[in-house]
Amino acid sequence: MAWVYLVIAGILEVVWSFFMKQSDGFTKLQPTLITFATMFVSFGLLSLSMRTLPLGTAYSIWTGIGAVGAFVAGVLLLGEQANPMRIMAAAMIVGGLVLMKLSSPA
């Protein structure tokens, strides 16, 4: 169950980072509220996953999902640039996440 919590927490990290961008520096109410609500749940699920997963594994997977997910959301939803170097950087993060998962005892 810890891995399920962790993946959902990572997805919610993408959601809150996207809505933080939409909040325009917390000047728009609805995106600001979505940011803080999803941030709260994301942190809570991360905390639950850390009951059984090692700190380094849980935190790096969570931030990795958030980083790659935010990159993909930026490209697909906000029209941000997807040049070969940025794509390679995202692929390297995914590779690191796979290695972290494979090396985790839980």
Side-chain angles (χ1 to χ4, degrees):
M1 208 52 201
W3 285 102
V4 173
Y5 291 150
L6 184 58
V7 169
I8 295 169
I11 292 168
L12 289 173
E13 185 182 5
V14 177
V15 173
W16 68 253
S17 64
F18 174 80
F19 279 98
M20 183 183 291
K21 173 77 171 169
Q22 300 305 304
S23 77
D24 196 28
F26 301 124
T27 61
K28 296 179 181 174
L29 181 61
Q30 185 174 350
T32 297
L33 294 175
I34 294 169
T35 298
F36 286 117
T38 53
M39 190 181 286
F40 179 79
V41 175
S42 179
F43 277 105
L45 290 172
L46 173 63
S47 175
L48 289 175
S49 76
M50 286 182 173
R51 287 180 174 173
T52 55
L53 297 175
L55 167 66
T57 299
Y59 188 73
S60 61
I61 297 287
W62 180 70
T63 57
I65 292 170
V68 173
F71 166 69
V72 171
V75 169
L76 296 178
L77 302 174
L78 302 175
E80 295 177 355
Q81 187 179 15
N83 62 42
M85 193 175 296
R86 291 185 84 208
I87 293 169
M88 179 62 83
M92 291 173 71
I93 293 169
V94 171
L97 297 177
V98 169
L99 288 174
M100 190 64 72
K101 166 64 172 113
L102 293 175
S103 68
S104 176

